[in-house]
Amino acid sequence: MAALRRGNLDRLIRRLATTGPGHRAELARATQVTRTTGSSLVNELLQRGVVIELPRTPDADQGGHVDGRAGATVQLSDRLWTAGIETTLDTISASVRTATGATMGTASTTVNPEDGWEVRRDAALSLLNELLADERSAGVRLLGLGIGVPGQVAPDGQVTGALADQPWSGVNVREVMEAETGVPVLVDNNVRMETFAESRWGAGRGCSNVLYAHAASGIAVGMVIDGELVRGHNGSAGEFGHLSIDVAGDQCACGNRGCLVLSAGRAAVMRSLERTWPESPTWEQVLTLAAAGDRAAAGAFHQAGDRLGMALAGLVNVVAPELVIIGGDMARAGEVLRDSVARRVHELALSTHRDVPVVLSELGGGPAVGASGAAAMVWSDPRTDRRIIDRLLS
Amino acid sequence: MAALRRGNLDRLIRRLATTGPGHRAELARATQVTRTTGSSLVNELLQRGVVIELPRTPDADQGGHVDGRAGATVQLSDRLWTAGIETTLDTISASVRTATGATMGTASTTVNPEDGWEVRRDAALSLLNELLADERSAGVRLLGLGIGVPGQVAPDGQVTGALADQPWSGVNVREVMEAETGVPVLVDNNVRMETFAESRWGAGRGCSNVLYAHAASGIAVGMVIDGELVRGHNGSAGEFGHLSIDVAGDQCACGNRGCLVLSAGRAAVMRSLERTWPESPTWEQVLTLAAAGDRAAAGAFHQAGDRLGMALAGLVNVVAPELVIIGGDMARAGEVLRDSVARRVHELALSTHRDVPVVLSELGGGPAVGASGAAAMVWSDPRTDRRIIDRLLS
């Protein structure tokens, strides 16, 4: 009987974590127990501080009357938080969320591209402490941490990529961060974290097949296929920047020739502008100039978007998404980039795909979004969700 | 109670169709009913002719003794068959299988690449009649038909591709074939059918992430990701031949430049040999010459394999398979093709993927394999499995 009750408590928490608050009666139905058992389970979770009851308010569906039979609305306690961190080559972002999904704080800091993983770890922990400092005294409990890193992440949390732009390479980030924080940690590729957020709350809401293209210093994709994030064998799916689009092109650090990233990444935009402006503008200035319609800056994004669109057309033929979303630092250039990408995809993909929408990230792409996705993902990933519930019920 | 019993019969049939024969006791356990209920269900299926009992034989696990307690071994009747058909540009193959997976017959015929869909339909039906003619009088019952066609297939069975090499384009193949055969028909992309067969019984056995590359007149891929075949939005995933690998390359019929198929498909091999032999050999002769080590023929496959490997390296980075399988007509050239593909994949994919095995199809790729996969897939696809069981129990 203890195991049965434990299983029911487990299902009740999962239901509250994934579908949100519900009336006592609904919750009993959804977890397939009698109303009496349901109430007893809810009471136990109230005592443990896992859930809270909301004040009864008139329900519009019931003609403005309080539906006494359904019972009070129950939700996970707003003092149960998860945190997310995303690290890119030069930025570290953190975000904290309640178990009901409200974002309670975000923070960001920059690091040098040459900084090693220890510097990044310390910066991430500082951001977390900053976001949680006042809250811990107010009884907030951190349940889990999701962390997104560039490169390929093995299922055990080891970062396996070995390119120069993957500073965590060789580090078991899960072990490192669990030792530091004492909570279950989920590590995944940073673009996958952004894809999770964007497909759940952003432009990809309601779509089962999403191709999210993150263009920045590197170029990577996140894929949702039949509603599931694609990780691939050993968690290393999504590297798109080293697709060769030009057999006779320049040599790339990866060993290939004519890689997409050489002509469609942030460095390509900067390089093409060096010829125009001998005193190089900063990346932020270039973004501002492009948005303001400066011809040279817009032209540089147009050229990059052209190549990105060409490559995406080929990938669209292979994975057949219902939607293509462009995110990452390059997407901050806005329509000038999206236009050129979309034009090429619509021109070059096979006819069955020519009306696939190509849109900009609604959440703005980038590390802050990834951090928020990471904080949410710990509730739905089998690597952490069980451990979180175990801790809540222990 | 009738609904409950019906549900139990359903689960019992599914279990027998997917896991194979079992003792009465095992079946009761697996379908979560008591042994008495299990026996009563099996008896009903025996009466309906859906299952048969095998003669009791000494069981090695039981020290050579007959295990009387477990009951007789039960399996689906070997008179329940499914059929599969695969159609490519110039070949139509058919295969019939018992519900326990034994292949009972295969047949093939050629058509002209210019032939319309009606000619192909009639050829397919002739093959089927030929394979079933003697059997129908022996009480064999056809339960379902799987059919693989080139191009993109919408979930309703409509072929949506519009390239010249997709003769079924615009036809609702499911409707056409159900009207002709009177059984539930599953339509899917032909390369997906081959991928299903190869990943279940061939080189991909036991792998959860498989990339199957079919190279012939066209080039397409089948993907198994986390154990599931990828169909993509509207069922149109897998077109790989129109990935551009050369921005400055020749114009392709699809509108793009430098498409993979232009340098790695069957036509590319033939074209490169036209220069060597003014009196063009046939495709079969070229395959024989290449296998025999003829320098020009081997060189043509080497060149094609080089380009295919380059493109596959890019796709391997994106989908991260644990295994790459090469099938289709080009794979009949054997090691000369595999070698060049594997060399390029291992040279150009990112380091996390450089030890991905690149192997030839074990089943020999091509239409006969696809037909066999199609015959099996009707048992496991939600579009047909329910209808098959409904018919068995009606």
Side-chain angles (χ1 to χ4, degrees):
Chain A
M1 282 309 283
L4 182 65
R5 186 171 177 85
R6 167 59 200 253
N8 282 333
L9 288 169
D10 193 310
R11 276 192 292 156
L12 187 51
I13 295 175
R14 268 171 215 277
R15 150 79 203 209
L16 289 166
T18 53
T19 322
H23 295 300
R24 277 178 180 252
E26 277 171 51
L27 293 172
R29 253 199 318 277
T31 46
Q32 299 187 325
V33 295
T34 64
R35 203 182 272 216
T36 315
T37 305
S39 267
S40 149
L41 297 170
V42 167
N43 291 341
E44 178 169 346
L45 294 181
L46 278 167
Q47 276 172 350
R48 287 174 175 270
V50 175
V51 303
I52 54 173
E53 279 188 328
L54 297 184
R56 294 187 184 212
T57 51
D59 183 340
D61 291 346
Q62 304 289 334
H65 295 295
V66 173
D67 181 2
R69 290 159 307 148
T73 297
V74 175
Q75 68 167 48
L76 287 173
S77 162
D78 47 14
R79 293 190 177 174
L80 302 177
W81 289 14
T82 56
I85 290 170
E86 180 174 322
T87 78
T88 62
L89 202 56
D90 56 9
T91 307
I92 296 182
S93 287
S95 173
V96 285
R97 294 166 64 87
T98 67
T100 44
T103 298
M104 301 306 283
T106 56
S108 260
T109 187
T110 54
V111 288
N112 291 319
E114 314 72 53
D115 285 338
W117 67 269
E118 295 92 342
V119 174
R120 294 161 191 271
R121 173 201 58 198
D122 294 345
L125 290 169
S126 298
L127 290 178
L128 263 193
N129 282 334
E130 187 185 308
L131 290 172
L132 292 169
D134 296 339
E135 312 302 337
R136 279 194 168 129
S137 57
V140 162
R141 188 168 165 201
L142 183 67
L143 295 181
L145 167 67
I147 171 160
V149 296
Q152 297 113 46
V153 183
D156 71 349
Q158 177 93 15
V159 179
T160 52
L163 287 184
D165 56 356
Q166 293 164 1
W168 295 90
S169 190
V171 179
N172 188 313
V173 183
R174 184 182 55 75
E175 280 178 10
V176 166
M177 296 303 277
E178 287 191 354
E180 295 286 346
T181 62
V183 298
V185 172
L186 173 73
V187 191
D188 209 329
N189 174 272
N190 54 1
V191 173
R192 210 128 57 210
M193 298 296 197
E194 290 173 24
T195 307
F196 180 82
E198 193 69 36
S199 65
R200 179 175 272 207
W201 310 303
R205 277 189 315 280
C207 294
S208 308
N209 288 279
V210 174
L211 179 57
Y212 174 79
H214 169 105
S217 329
I219 297 179
V221 294
M223 294 173 283
V224 176
I225 293 185
D226 289 341
E228 296 290 333
L229 272 176
V230 174
R231 295 195 164 80
H233 182 57
N234 280 344
S236 54
E239 293 290 344
F240 188 51
H242 298 283
L243 179 83
S244 168
I245 56 167
D246 185 1
V247 274
D250 291 343
Q251 186 82 38
C252 177
C254 79
N256 212 338
R257 284 190 175 279
C259 288
L260 177 61
V261 69
L262 299 181
S263 56
R266 203 168 116 165
V269 169
M270 293 306 274
R271 207 170 36 243
S272 89
L273 291 175
E274 270 166 24
R275 286 169 231 141
T276 316
W277 293 303
E279 280 181 54
S280 314
T282 65
W283 174 245
E284 295 298 325
Q285 286 167 335
V286 170
L287 285 173
T288 313
L289 285 165
D294 173 89
R295 209 155 160 179
F301 281 103
H302 173 74
Q303 220 168 23
D306 193 69
R307 293 303 168 94
L308 180 57
M310 224 187 101
L312 279 174
L315 189 56
V316 160
N317 287 340
V318 173
V319 304
E322 61 192 294
L323 179 71
V324 176
I325 305 174
I326 311 171
D329 224 12
M330 294 271 294
R332 291 168 60 209
E335 280 300 318
V336 56
L337 181 71
R338 193 207 64 86
D339 261 1
S340 352
V341 174
R343 191 176 321 129
R344 284 307 237 173
V345 169
H346 296 151
E347 195 176 291
L348 299 177
L350 294 176
S351 59
T352 9
H353 305 293
R354 284 194 186 163
D355 55 358
V356 63
V358 176
V359 302
L360 289 169
S361 155
E362 266 185 26
L363 307 176
V369 177
S372 179
M377 210 198 261
V378 294
W379 274 108
S380 66
D381 193 285
R383 289 170 285 178
T384 39
D385 65 346
R386 165 139 308 282
R387 292 169 66 203
I388 287 177
I389 293 176
D390 283 351
R391 286 160 55 96
L392 281 176
L393 295 178
S394 70
Chain B
M1 282 307 284
L4 183 64
R5 185 171 177 87
R6 167 58 201 253
N8 283 332
L9 289 170
D10 193 310
R11 276 194 291 156
L12 187 52
I13 296 175
R14 269 171 215 276
R15 149 79 203 209
L16 289 166
T18 53
T19 321
H23 294 299
R24 277 178 179 251
E26 278 172 50
L27 293 173
R29 255 198 318 276
T31 46
Q32 299 186 326
V33 296
T34 64
R35 202 182 275 216
T36 315
T37 305
S39 268
S40 149
L41 297 170
V42 166
N43 291 341
E44 178 170 345
L45 294 180
L46 277 168
Q47 275 171 349
R48 286 175 176 270
V50 175
V51 303
I52 54 173
E53 279 189 329
L54 296 184
R56 295 187 183 211
T57 52
D59 183 341
D61 289 348
Q62 304 289 333
H65 295 294
V66 173
D67 181 2
R69 290 159 309 148
T73 297
V74 175
Q75 67 166 46
L76 287 173
S77 162
D78 46 14
R79 293 191 177 173
L80 302 177
W81 289 15
T82 56
I85 290 170
E86 181 174 322
T87 77
T88 62
L89 203 56
D90 57 8
T91 307
I92 295 181
S93 286
S95 172
V96 285
R97 295 166 64 87
T98 67
T100 45
T103 297
M104 300 307 282
T106 56
S108 261
T109 188
T110 54
V111 287
N112 291 318
E114 312 75 53
D115 285 338
W117 68 268
E118 295 93 340
V119 173
R120 294 162 191 271
R121 171 201 60 197
D122 294 345
L125 290 169
S126 297
L127 290 178
L128 262 194
N129 282 333
E130 189 185 307
L131 289 171
L132 292 169
D134 296 341
E135 312 301 338
R136 279 195 167 127
S137 57
V140 162
R141 188 169 164 199
L142 184 67
L143 296 180
L145 167 66
I147 172 160
V149 296
Q152 295 114 45
V153 183
D156 71 349
Q158 178 94 14
V159 180
T160 52
L163 287 183
D165 57 356
Q166 292 165 1
W168 295 90
S169 190
V171 179
N172 188 312
V173 183
R174 184 182 56 73
E175 281 177 10
V176 166
M177 296 303 276
E178 287 191 352
E180 294 286 347
T181 62
V183 298
V185 171
L186 173 73
V187 190
D188 209 329
N189 174 273
N190 55 0
V191 172
R192 211 128 57 210
M193 297 297 197
E194 291 173 25
T195 307
F196 180 82
E198 193 68 36
S199 66
R200 177 176 273 206
W201 311 302
R205 277 188 315 279
C207 294
S208 308
N209 289 278
V210 174
L211 179 57
Y212 175 78
H214 170 105
S217 329
I219 297 180
V221 293
M223 293 173 284
V224 176
I225 293 185
D226 290 340
E228 297 290 332
L229 273 176
V230 174
R231 293 196 166 81
H233 182 56
N234 280 343
S236 55
E239 293 290 344
F240 189 51
H242 298 283
L243 180 82
S244 169
I245 57 168
D246 185 2
V247 275
D250 291 344
Q251 186 82 37
C252 177
C254 79
N256 214 337
R257 284 189 175 277
C259 288
L260 176 62
V261 68
L262 299 180
S263 56
R266 205 169 114 166
V269 169
M270 294 306 273
R271 206 169 39 245
S272 90
L273 290 175
E274 270 165 26
R275 288 169 228 142
T276 315
W277 292 302
E279 281 181 51
S280 315
T282 65
W283 174 245
E284 294 298 324
Q285 285 168 335
V286 170
L287 285 172
T288 312
L289 285 165
D294 173 90
R295 212 156 157 179
F301 281 103
H302 173 75
Q303 221 169 22
D306 194 69
R307 295 301 169 92
L308 180 58
M310 225 187 101
L312 279 174
L315 190 56
V316 159
N317 287 340
V318 173
V319 302
E322 61 190 295
L323 179 69
V324 177
I325 306 174
I326 311 171
D329 224 13
M330 293 271 294
R332 291 167 62 208
E335 279 301 316
V336 56
L337 181 72
R338 192 205 66 85
D339 261 2
S340 353
V341 174
R343 192 176 321 128
R344 284 307 237 173
V345 169
H346 296 151
E347 196 175 291
L348 300 178
L350 294 176
S351 60
T352 9
H353 304 294
R354 284 197 184 160
D355 55 359
V356 63
V358 177
V359 302
L360 289 168
S361 154
E362 266 185 28
L363 307 176
V369 177
S372 179
M377 210 199 261
V378 294
W379 273 108
S380 65
D381 193 284
R383 288 170 285 178
T384 39
D385 66 346
R386 165 139 309 281
R387 292 170 67 204
I388 286 177
I389 293 176
D390 282 352
R391 285 161 55 96
L392 280 176
L393 295 178
S394 69

